[in-house]
């Protein structure tokens, strides 16, 4: 289910603006989940956001539940992890389309 303005608890399909890796936790030390990095134009499905390590552009991280790799021919993976929101969409979804975890 995609989010609407009225359903802040819903998931949101977000198009990558920059690119990011998917991590086990909300910090770099947690390590990646083992899926390819997302590039600009790829998409992810996030169901909520939380705070974590500030990588220089804020401390918002998206709980990611689905990755769609346009740069890899449309590959879709359903691996759960955390993605640094400023590298995804400058944290825009955290301001409206998804709720805090």
């Amino acid at each position: 289910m995609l989010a609407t303005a009225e359903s802040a608890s819903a998931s949101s399909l977000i198009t990558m603006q920059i690119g990011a890796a998917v991590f086990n936790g909300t910090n770099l030390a947690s390590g990646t989940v083992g899926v390819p990095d997302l590039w600009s134009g790829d998409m992810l499905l996030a169901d909520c956001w939380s705070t974590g390590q500030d990588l220089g552009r804020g401390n918002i991280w998206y709980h990611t539940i689905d990755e769609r790799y346009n740069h890899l021919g449309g590959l879709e993976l359903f691996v759960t992890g955390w993605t640094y929101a400023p590298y995804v969409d400058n944290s825009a979804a955290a301001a409206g389309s998804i709720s805090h975890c």
Side-chain angles (χ1 to χ4, degrees), residues 21-34 61 81-82:
V22 182
F23 288 85
N24 289 301
T26 59
N27 58 67
L28 297 180
S30 69
T32 63
V33 298
W61 291 71
W82 293 91

